[in-house]
């Protein structure tokens, strides 16, 4: 599921990057790994557990942003009769991280890789996450190898997962793959990304699922001020995301069939959250007739349009109710589905960056082998939802604080200016305080005033914009 992506460029001593560094200090984000964890990472990087099954003859490729080096997944696509075979190799973190060791303890403290606009704070030491465990090209790596057979419509007909040695042949990026597919120069394993991706997108529409093509926000220094832009995702981004969703759905079904697992669940969005989004649409002058569903609106938006891009960023707020649900002994939980996926789903495709994925992989490997999950998995399972919830809370705090800092930097030279806006939220206990969405630039900020007309447009004056305190404040004109 998507997160808000913000990228900031510039020298480390620039005011905006200095504010982000101060935020990391304020939040107590670790700067480095403890010596025991670093020493263990250096040791296991040289001698990971190696599975017996050798799949290095399969010409996998990875597909990520150009600068990425923490490569969780590698793909090979082929035809199988009238249908398809998807081979999806996922980095095997358990081949490096021993249960109960220093690395394991640190991973349970960190839970997720934290993404700041100017850098990331990794879940595992970079000697693993960007080195020995990463599915880098021309390197033999241990992996959990999923084989997913699909029919002509893209529906899953067979699933297998086993430990294997794999070797990626190429590190591809989205723009390059999109160009190859558009010009007809892609070889079949890459060209099939479009065919399979579009088939899975049609199935997503059929079951009522929603994929948010969230654009990346980019803020750049220009003439002693900052300018906000968006990088719209390419179709290849979405096709590749469908392979991850396909695997996560297959993993969830395996777990449910075998009675033990950890699902990623999300209840339907409350009416109040959707109503707030409708007000945001009004503020951004996006037409959302009442007879049009949220899913239909999302599919009609163009992420390259700045107004639509800003709205898609706000749509990620509907995902904040997602959590992790553990079950065992064949007793299934009351909620097994993820509302945005519109099916059972689990996180299993990003173990270099997310703790829960390592446990999901072990449960699925055991299920296919007809075995009980390892004792170390079962022992950790009950505490996992709480740990992941805390990790998600920290990640959410980081995301919201980063958005505040970036938007304050964007407006820091415009204190006193008047903007067109719409009130999208008013605090129940304090009706003189609320939230406004500006039309241009498309930012959100706090507003104070005696009368805040919820859902209506109004003119507002910026009274404070301080990146150092990540505060923006408006008053009604």
């Amino acid at each position: 599921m998507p997160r808000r992506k913000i990228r900031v460029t510039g020298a480390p001593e620039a005011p905006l990057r200095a504010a982000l560094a101060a935020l990391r200090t304020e939040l107590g984000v670790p700067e480095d790994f403890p010596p025991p964890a670093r020493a263990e990472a250096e040791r296991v990087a040289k001698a990971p557990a190696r599975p017996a099954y050798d799949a290095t003859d399969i010409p996998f490729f990875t597909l990520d942003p150009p600068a990425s080096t923490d490569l969780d997944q590698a793909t090979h696509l082929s035809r199988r009769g009238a249908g398809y075979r998807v081979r999806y190799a996922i980095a095997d973190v358990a081949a490096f991280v021993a249960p109960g060791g220093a690395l394991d303890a640190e991973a349970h403290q960190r839970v997720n890789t934290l993404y700041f606009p100017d850098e990331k704070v990794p879940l595992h030491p970079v000697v693993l996450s960007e080195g020995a465990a990463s599915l880098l090209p021309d390197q033999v790596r241990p992996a959990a190898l999923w084989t997913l057979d699909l029919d002509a419509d893209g529906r899953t007909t067979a699933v297998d997962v086993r430990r294997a040695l794999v070797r990626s042949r190429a590190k591809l990026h989205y723009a390059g793959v999109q160009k190859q597919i558009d010009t007809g120069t892609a070889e079949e394993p890459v060209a099939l990304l479009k065919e399979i991706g579009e088939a899975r997108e049609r199935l997503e529409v059929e079951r009522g699922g929603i994929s948010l093509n969230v654009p990346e926000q980019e803020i750049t220094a220009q003439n002693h001020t900052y300018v906000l832009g968006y990088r719209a995702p390419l179709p290849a981004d979405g096709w590749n995301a469908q392979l991850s969703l396909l695997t996560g759905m297959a993993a969830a079904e395996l777990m449910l069939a075998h009675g033990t697992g950890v699902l990623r669940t999300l209840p339907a969005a409350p009416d109040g959250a959707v109503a707030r989004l409708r007000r945001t649409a009004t503020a951004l002058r996006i037409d959302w007739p009442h007879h049009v569903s949220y899913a239909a609106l999302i599919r009609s938006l163009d992420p390259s349009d700045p107004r639509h891009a800003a709205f898609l960023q706000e749509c990620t707020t509907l995902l904040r109710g997602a959590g992790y649900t553990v079950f065992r002994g064949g007793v299934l939980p009351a909620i097994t589905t993820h509302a945005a996926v519109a099916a059972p789903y689990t996180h299993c495709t990003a173990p270099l960056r997310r703790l829960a994925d390592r446990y999901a992989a072990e449960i699925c490997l055991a299920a296919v082998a007809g075995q009980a999950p390892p004792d170390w998995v079962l022992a950790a399972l009950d505490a996992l939802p709480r740990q992941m919830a805390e990790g998600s809370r920290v990640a959410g705090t980081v995301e919201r604080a980063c958005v505040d800092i970036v938007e304050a930097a964007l407006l820091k030279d415009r204190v006193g200016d008047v903007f067109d806006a719409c009130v999208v939220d008013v605090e129940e206990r304090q009706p003189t305080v609320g939230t406004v969405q500006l039309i241009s630039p498309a930012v959100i900020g706090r507003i104070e005033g005696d009368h805040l007309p919820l859902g209506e447009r109004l003119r507002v004056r910026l009274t404070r914009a301080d990146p150092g305190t990540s505060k923006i404040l408006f008053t009604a004109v």
Side-chain angles (χ1 to χ4, degrees):
M1 291 289 101
R3 58 181 174 83
R4 291 187 69 145
K5 304 171 187 174
I6 310 172
R7 188 163 68 94
V8 168
T9 57
E13 66 274 10
L16 180 50
R17 292 198 64 185
L20 292 168
L23 174 63
R24 287 189 282 274
T25 300
E26 177 188 337
L27 296 177
V29 173
E31 294 184 6
D32 200 356
F33 286 81
R38 290 203 310 272
E40 184 180 335
E42 293 285 351
R43 185 177 68 256
V44 298
K46 298 172 184 175
R50 292 172 66 90
Y53 182 65
D54 190 331
T56 55
D57 60 320
I58 301 171
F60 287 99
F61 63 89
T62 58
L63 181 54
D64 294 274
S68 294
T69 51
D70 52 344
L71 310 182
D72 286 287
Q73 314 106 13
T75 306
H76 182 266
L77 307 174
S78 58
R79 296 193 184 278
R80 185 176 180 274
Y84 312 94
R85 172 160 285 179
V86 175
R87 290 187 178 97
Y88 206 57
I90 300 172
D92 187 4
V93 172
F96 298 88
V97 179
L103 273 176
D104 188 38
E106 187 65 15
H108 278 263
Q109 287 293 320
R110 296 184 176 224
V111 180
N112 299 300
T113 292
L114 294 178
Y115 292 90
F116 290 81
D118 58 337
E119 65 178 59
K120 64 188 174 188
V121 180
L123 173 61
H124 303 101
V126 294
V127 68
L128 298 180
S129 62
E130 300 182 32
S134 177
L135 303 184
L136 297 166
D138 300 317
Q139 303 295 320
V140 175
R141 295 288 190 256
L145 174 55
W146 289 82
T147 302
L148 303 145
D149 289 338
L150 312 179
D151 66 15
D153 295 323
R155 300 180 194 276
T156 305
T157 59
V159 175
D160 180 70
V161 60
R162 63 183 66 188
R163 284 198 154 90
L165 290 175
V166 302
R167 180 163 65 91
S168 171
R169 301 297 200 277
K171 181 179 181 292
L172 306 181
H173 58 86
Y174 293 109
V177 163
Q178 190 69 56
K179 183 177 180 180
Q180 288 181 31
I181 291 175
D182 290 346
T183 58
T185 59
E187 296 183 0
E188 182 174 88
V190 175
L192 285 175
L193 181 67
K194 177 180 180 180
E195 201 169 313
I196 295 171
E198 289 183 341
R200 295 298 302 180
E201 287 173 341
R202 288 190 291 271
L203 292 176
E204 181 176 73
V205 173
E206 180 182 296
R207 69 175 185 268
I210 303 167
S211 285
L212 289 178
N213 293 318
V214 181
E216 181 180 65
Q217 286 180 293
E218 184 173 15
I219 183 165
T220 55
Q222 193 174 102
N223 298 325
H224 305 292
T225 187
Y226 291 100
V227 177
L228 177 65
Y230 294 93
R231 186 194 76 82
L234 297 166
D237 292 61
W239 303 330
N240 192 49
Q242 286 295 329
L243 299 183
S244 180
L245 282 169
L246 167 68
T247 309
M249 292 167 65
E253 293 292 352
L254 266 180
M255 292 175 176
L256 290 168
H258 287 80
T260 299
V262 52
L263 302 176
R264 182 66 166 164
T265 53
L266 175 68
D271 291 340
V274 177
R276 187 182 190 278
L277 274 184
R278 282 193 172 274
R279 294 191 288 271
T280 301
T282 299
L284 294 170
R285 295 177 178 165
I286 293 172
D287 186 28
W288 187 356
H290 279 279
H291 68 275
V292 174
S293 69
Y294 169 67
L297 176 73
I298 293 301
R299 286 191 279 270
S300 73
L301 298 180
D302 177 5
S304 64
D305 181 320
R307 294 176 300 110
H308 294 186
F311 183 75
L312 286 166
Q313 294 278 354
E314 283 307 302
C315 287
T316 60
T317 59
L318 292 190
L319 304 176
R320 289 179 185 164
Y324 292 85
T325 300
V326 162
F327 61 99
R328 62 170 77 211
V331 180
L332 301 187
I335 297 178
T336 61
T337 59
H338 190 291
V341 180
Y345 171 71
T346 193
H347 278 159
C348 66
T349 63
L352 294 176
R353 292 170 279 174
R354 200 167 43 211
L355 176 65
D357 298 46
R358 173 159 48 109
Y359 289 89
E362 294 298 325
I363 295 169
C364 291
L365 286 162
V368 169
Q371 302 171 351
D375 289 342
W376 64 267
V377 172
L378 296 175
L381 209 54
D382 289 340
L384 196 59
R386 175 183 54 77
Q387 292 168 341
M388 295 303 299
E390 175 60 16
S392 297
R393 184 195 66 77
V394 172
T397 299
V398 166
E399 180 181 291
R400 289 188 291 274
C402 288
V403 170
D404 289 344
I405 288 173
V406 166
E407 294 187 344
L410 186 67
L411 295 174
K412 70 181 180 62
D413 296 324
R414 301 192 64 179
V415 172
D417 287 3
V418 174
F419 301 86
D420 291 319
C422 178
V423 180
V424 296
D425 209 5
V426 176
E427 294 185 12
E428 289 186 16
R429 297 182 179 180
Q430 199 173 358
T432 58
V433 176
T435 304
V436 287
Q437 168 80 57
L438 270 59
I439 296 170
S440 180
V443 302
I444 283 183
R446 179 185 175 93
I447 185 170
E448 295 179 353
D450 292 335
H451 175 61
L452 300 179
L454 188 62
E456 295 183 20
R457 292 197 179 99
L458 75 168
R459 302 273 284 168
V460 299
R461 177 172 281 109
L462 179 64
T463 59
R464 185 173 67 205
D466 182 0
T469 60
S470 66
K471 299 295 185 183
I472 293 177
L473 182 63
F474 296 92
T475 57
V477 173

